[in-house]
Amino acid sequence: MASTLYIVATPIGNLEDITYRAVRILQQVDLIAAEDTRHTLQLLRALDIQKPLLSLHEHNEQSRVEEIYRRLQEGQDIALVSDAGTPCISDPGAKLIQALREKKCTITPIPGPSAVITALSATGFTQGGFSFLGFLPVKGKERKQLLMNIAQRSQTIVLYESPHKLIKTLQDLCDACQNPRIVVARELTKIYEEFLVDDIKNLILHFEKIPPKGEFVLIMPPDEKKEEQVTSTQEIIAFLESCKAQGIRHKQAAEQCALQMGISKKKAYEIGLDVFHR
Ligand code: SAM
């Protein structure tokens, strides 16, 4: 059988959050490639597993490709793990996997925890999909552009953030999105796990009083006000279309629409341009 690179998810806090299959694979492989070997050693000790380790982090990932490829060719099975959660999710591994897929290696995921899914699963904001953006760029045009995109969101947005950048990111989100509701999920699966749900301004005040500690996932549901706007535009169009079907003229329909739907005649007339003159 061809040797395999296993992508193994490990706990994001609580050591019990590891699958039977992940433990079996870590027991069976010849080598474990780890983001931080000291960190992974602690997990392996807890699982009573002894294996050779090879470091694979963002600064040496490219140069490890050939070595891992050679070992796979020699018949070794290898597990890739990161410090916590699923490798490649805001963690190293993607370059290695792309390169090994090009070389037609067998790569098998061993699913398990990831902070993004763990946080989302307990917020109730999963209808209509979500966009996971990982960490926002620290500054510059790219950050500004992403903040603008977030302000226009029609889906739930999920972000990772570190404790020392949390307040700045909450402030930027508050400015870009005009004090939206947000869920701050902290220390998931750990002793001090908490979910704070509030307007962002209140959470900024909270973290100014109690400085952020631990690990954070930020979840912003879609902007309900924007959704209402979209619905009401659709309702206006539907109203004007039914007027047109009854033979009512554009100007008169706009007047009726304004009266009935509590909007200005000008707005109803403008939306009606499309309905009556297409
Ligand atoms: N690969 C990991 C995954 O699958 O979630 C993510 C690694 S990324 C370098 C680390 C970030 O994930 C943290 O800064 C935090 O935003 C988030 N994170 C990881 N563990 C967490 C936890 N227990 N509670 C809250 N957020 C967590």
Side-chain angles (χ1 to χ4, degrees):
M1 214 174 92
S3 43
T4 301
L5 175 72
Y6 295 97
I7 313 304
V8 182
T10 57
I12 57 168
N14 189 323
L15 286 185
E16 289 177 351
D17 295 332
I18 187 158
T19 66
Y20 291 125
R21 188 172 173 219
V23 174
R24 178 174 59 75
I25 294 295
L26 291 175
Q27 283 164 341
Q28 282 176 2
V29 290
D30 301 291
L31 175 79
I32 299 174
E35 182 183 6
D36 179 340
T37 52
R38 285 163 308 176
H39 193 100
T40 298
L41 254 183
Q42 290 174 15
L43 174 70
L44 295 180
R45 277 201 195 111
L47 298 171
D48 201 16
I49 294 173
Q50 286 172 3
K51 284 289 157 184
L53 291 167
L54 177 76
S55 73
L56 186 139
H57 45 71
E58 60 173 328
H59 304 296
N60 72 358
E61 186 174 347
Q62 200 68 52
S63 63
R64 287 292 193 219
V65 171
E66 283 312 314
E67 176 168 3
I68 290 180
Y69 179 61
R70 177 181 55 76
R71 285 174 181 261
L72 289 168
Q73 293 302 98
E74 286 169 5
Q76 297 187 25
D77 284 328
I78 301 175
L80 173 69
V81 297
S82 61
D83 286 354
T86 302
C88 306
I89 306 300
S90 299
D91 265 342
K95 286 184 201 142
L96 173 75
I97 291 168
Q98 278 171 21
L100 294 182
R101 285 235 174 261
E102 290 291 315
K103 294 174 185 285
K104 309 279 181 243
C105 295
T106 306
I107 301 170
T108 298
I110 309 295
S114 187
V116 44
I117 301 297
T118 307
L120 262 178
S121 69
T123 57
F125 293 132
T126 44
Q127 306 97 320
F130 65 90
S131 296
F132 171 58
L133 304 183
F135 294 95
L136 283 180
V138 179
K139 51 186 175 184
K141 266 192 201 153
E142 228 189 312
R143 182 174 173 100
K144 273 197 188 132
Q145 183 58 54
L146 275 169
L147 285 164
M148 275 159 59
N149 295 350
I150 292 172
Q152 299 301 321
R153 71 199 175 285
S154 56
Q155 286 187 322
T156 294
I157 301 287
V158 188
L159 298 168
Y160 284 168
E161 195 47 283
S162 61
H164 63 284
K165 297 197 198 113
L166 182 76
I167 293 181
K168 166 88 173 87
T169 293
L170 291 178
Q171 264 156 356
D172 286 354
L173 288 168
C174 185
D175 295 344
C177 309
Q178 292 150 19
N179 194 23
R181 290 294 278 182
I182 191 162
V183 182
V184 175
R186 186 175 89 86
E187 293 287 85
L188 293 161
T189 78
K190 304 186 205 177
I191 297 172
Y192 296 109
E193 174 180 278
E194 67 178 344
F195 286 84
L196 301 165
V197 187
D198 209 332
D199 292 349
I200 221 166
K201 270 187 188 160
N202 293 337
L203 290 186
I204 294 169
L205 292 175
H206 168 87
F207 287 115
E208 280 170 352
K209 274 193 227 128
I210 304 170
K213 273 196 203 140
E215 300 193 275
F216 294 88
V217 181
L218 312 181
I219 296 152
M220 282 175 57
D223 186 348
E224 277 171 18
K225 280 176 246 137
K226 275 213 183 72
E227 280 188 345
E228 275 166 22
Q229 264 174 25
V230 171
T231 321
S232 64
T233 306
Q234 281 163 351
E235 279 169 5
I236 294 165
I237 291 171
F239 183 95
L240 293 169
E241 272 171 347
S242 87
C243 290
K244 188 181 173 190
Q246 293 167 50
I248 302 171
R249 299 167 76 94
H250 183 179
K251 190 165 169 253
Q252 210 185 341
E255 281 166 7
Q256 284 185 19
C257 181
L259 209 63
Q260 189 126 340
M261 307 198 100
I263 58 169
S264 70
K265 280 186 214 160
K266 187 169 173 272
K267 184 173 177 184
Y269 190 86
E270 277 169 8
I271 294 175
L273 285 172
D274 230 25
V275 175
F276 285 86
H277 303 283
R278 63 179 168 219

